[in-house]
Amino acid sequence: IAHDLRSPLTRLRARLEAAAIEADNGKGDPVGALHTALEDADNVLKTFNAVLSIARLEAAVEPPNPVVFDPGELAAGVAELYEPLCEDKGLEFRAELTPALQLRGNREFIAQALANILDNAVKYTPEGGAVMLRVRRRSSGDVEMSVTDTGPGVPEAERDRVIQRFVRLENSRNEPGAGLGLSLVGAVAQAHKGQLELDEGPGSVDGSGPGLRVALVLPKMG
């Protein structure tokens, strides 16, 4: 964690130092420099908060503050946030949400996990691709919340690795983020006695693919 946070903190200090020198010489844009520094600080805080959330979940005997809720209703709320992002990027977005299911768990953490999965799908799926959100009950009775996309996918040999903290594959180096999104999803699954599955998506679309299917599977009530 210290190694991965050193770079953004060093960059933040360098920008502030350069802005201070320019301000002393009556040059530069001090207000712009402050806004940039605030963005850098926010990103560091987001990383800290994500790490703390993961640690809290991994240490939990059971999900903190569990409640009974409808996962389809929760997913519909998250979908409302991401459907406009898909439209802006030129992606087809669909949702198949089974109604009247019940889960017991931490609603906020599960919503964040689903948002992280959708965020990755939107981020890495190229224009003209598709993103599908599903909530369904498996034959076992467990509830599956999954996102399937037509992006580049993740090689099978790398799927266990991308769940680890701060791991980013080569095709994600130019994208914003700290490599904690799927780590949090994995911690949510662990805290709820569920599982996180990564599989190949629906295949290539317009030369892009094979895509990725990420499923958060949570145990049935009772």
Side-chain angles (χ1 to χ4, degrees):
I1 294 171
H3 178 270
D4 282 87
L5 289 179
R6 183 168 60 181
S7 293
L9 287 171
T10 300
R11 184 167 59 249
L12 171 59
R13 189 188 186 286
R15 286 179 175 172
L16 288 171
E17 185 176 25
I21 292 172
E22 289 182 343
D24 287 341
N25 294 327
K27 300 177 180 178
D29 179 10
V31 175
L34 283 173
H35 283 299
T36 301
L38 284 172
E39 290 178 5
D40 287 343
D42 285 342
N43 289 332
V44 173
L45 287 171
K46 286 179 183 178
T47 300
F48 269 121
N49 290 334
V51 171
L52 288 173
S53 294
I54 291 169
R56 180 186 178 193
L57 286 166
E58 289 178 342
V61 176
E62 66 172 24
N65 306 315
V67 297
V68 176
F69 65 94
D70 181 342
E73 181 181 333
L74 179 146
V78 177
E80 285 183 8
L81 299 176
Y82 282 89
E83 187 170 8
L85 297 179
C86 287
E87 291 177 0
D88 290 344
K89 194 175 178 181
L91 304 177
E92 178 186 350
F93 179 83
R94 292 177 58 197
E96 295 180 356
L97 311 176
T98 302
L101 298 179
Q102 283 193 328
L103 275 179
R104 182 179 183 275
N106 184 289
R107 195 178 191 279
E108 290 72 25
F109 274 127
I110 292 174
Q112 183 61 60
L114 187 57
N116 285 5
I117 299 171
L118 271 170
D119 191 70
N120 278 348
V122 175
K123 185 186 298 181
Y124 296 115
T125 302
E127 182 179 355
V131 175
M132 166 69 81
L133 168 64
R134 288 188 179 93
V135 174
R136 68 183 183 95
R137 185 185 298 281
R138 290 186 165 185
S139 59
S140 63
D142 294 343
V143 173
E144 175 189 301
M145 309 174 75
S146 68
V147 175
T148 304
D149 65 56
T150 58
V154 175
E156 186 174 356
E158 300 281 1
R159 289 174 191 164
D160 288 336
R161 185 168 165 264
V162 295
I163 302 172
Q164 299 172 15
R165 299 182 196 178
F166 297 112
V167 170
R168 307 190 72 198
L169 301 183
E170 287 303 318
N171 62 0
S172 66
R173 293 294 182 184
N174 295 326
E175 296 288 344
L180 291 170
L182 287 180
S183 297
L184 178 62
V185 180
V188 169
Q190 175 184 311
H192 289 81
K193 306 297 188 293
Q195 55 188 337
L196 173 60
E197 299 176 350
L198 275 69
D199 302 297
E200 191 163 302
S204 62
V205 175
D206 294 332
S208 177
L212 183 67
R213 173 183 168 275
V214 181
L216 175 61
V217 184
L218 300 175
K220 61 184 178 181
M221 291 182 57

